[in-house]
Amino acid sequence: MASQHIDRRRCLSCNRWGGERRPGIEPDTVDYDEDNDRGLCQDGPWHNTSRRGPRNACGQWIKWVALETPAAPDQADTPEPPAAP
């Protein structure tokens, strides 16, 4: 299993990439199988024209939504416990 950081802004970490991958153990990384590292671009500039690999990139990179960290709950939305009598 190989890993790539999103700072590289390659197809592998783009939301438009259709290959097999999973969020990495380290934050902002993508894990992928080097023997199966190709995927179609979906709705991007390379849309369905070629299978893009981990070194490919373009100017329309969008961070893969699976790498988005959930927002912390807002403390203002948390009800306070009732005051003691």
Side-chain angles (χ1 to χ4, degrees):
M1 188 65 55
S3 185
Q4 188 179 102
H5 198 276
I6 66 167
D7 285 350
R8 298 187 69 194
R9 294 182 152 231
R10 304 293 184 201
C11 291
L12 183 71
S13 60
C14 180
N15 198 54
R16 303 176 197 267
W17 192 71
E20 291 186 36
R21 61 194 165 170
R22 67 175 186 232
I25 295 170
E26 297 295 320
D28 292 331
T29 61
V30 177
D31 289 345
Y32 64 99
D33 179 359
E34 290 176 293
D35 295 325
N36 186 20
D37 63 358
R38 302 282 174 186
L40 288 176
C41 179
Q42 302 167 352
D43 296 325
W46 302 100
H47 181 67
N48 287 332
T49 58
S50 67
R51 292 180 52 78
R52 314 291 289 162
R55 292 188 205 110
N56 296 127
C58 79
Q60 295 183 22
W61 180 87
I62 300 171
K63 184 178 178 181
W64 183 28
V65 295
L67 298 173
E68 296 293 334
T69 55
D74 188 355
Q75 295 296 333
D77 292 339
T78 305
E80 292 192 26

